[in-house]
Amino acid sequence: DIVMTQSPDSLAVSLGERATVNCKSSQSVLDSSNKKNYLAWYQQKLGQPPKLLMYWASIRESGVPDRFSGSGSGTDFTLTITSLQAEDVAVYYCQQYYTTLYTFGQGTRLEIK
Amino acid sequence: QVQLQESGPGLVKPSETLSLICTVSGASISNYYWSWIRQSPGKGLEWIGHMSYSGRSNYNPSLKSRVTISTDTSRNQFSLKLSSVTAADTAVYYCAKAALAGLMYFDCWGQGTLVTVSS
């Protein structure tokens, strides 16, 4: 199994400031044949299902604000939220879809400082 | 706009079979891949398995011996059966649609249904 480990488990950021969530996979999720990273990010607000934010590590899903961006390759990935808004309070998850056992990180809880 | 809705009992007795249905609207069950994912405080998000549009299934090895996912194209539904449940199977169960065939990131989720295993 590919184990996905996120850091930190929680963070508090002031409104308008930058928030950074990290995700590390226990093995590479980069397919060298197509140079794509099989990594997605989700946002889960309280009482709601997860919502897809990013796929291929850095491609924003339609309708996702451009203050959300994804980066990284291989085993280390980052979700960045520039200029944090109140509606961004949520738990964020990474997920790999490189292998046929699809696994998620444990989640990072983002709060307003 | 694709929508998914889970339905089924919220309480299941230990050793019995958990059965859930996901009703899909806005897309044909004959397209895409359809998954079940669960979320519990202890284990976070856990992919259970999927059924493809061609009828192929793939299950999480940790649950494979107890899981069956099937589709009903006439009703545009897919279902989950998990046998011999224990308290560890208590979770919110989500049905979800994979964004593209064979690319298992999930662009549409149901609202989720809480299933509690208790006598």
Side-chain angles (χ1 to χ4, degrees), chain A residues 1 38 40 42 44 47-52 54-56 61 93 95-97 100-106, chain B residues 35 37 39 44-47 50 58-61 94 99-100 102-112:
Chain A
D1 306 3
Y38 286 59
Y42 299 86
Q44 186 176 31
Q48 297 183 18
K51 172 190 171 184
L52 178 66
M54 319 284 299
Y55 55 94
W56 297 131
E61 172 72 338
Y93 296 93
Q95 178 231 333
Q96 65 81 18
Y97 48 102
T100 55
L101 172 53
Y102 315 105
T103 50
F104 295 83
Q106 83 278 15
Chain B
S35 278
I37 297 164
Q39 185 171 33
L45 287 162
E46 181 179 32
W47 173 77
H50 72 233
N58 182 28
Y59 300 133
N60 188 321
Y94 295 101
L100 291 170
L103 292 177
M104 301 302 292
Y105 58 91
F106 307 102
D107 65 349
C108 190
W109 298 62
Q111 282 301 305

Side-chain angles (χ1 to χ4, degrees), chain A residues 22-57:
Chain A
N22 301 301
C23 175
K24 188 175 185 68
S25 57
S26 61
Q27 66 186 73
S28 176
V29 298
L30 172 64
D31 187 331
S32 56
S33 66
N34 60 14
K35 294 187 172 40
K36 289 188 172 183
N37 289 282
Y38 286 59
L39 190 284
W41 287 98
Y42 299 86
Q43 174 193 64
Q44 186 176 31
K45 296 182 178 180
L46 191 62
Q48 297 183 18
K51 172 190 171 184
L52 178 66
L53 292 179
M54 319 284 299
Y55 55 94
W56 297 131

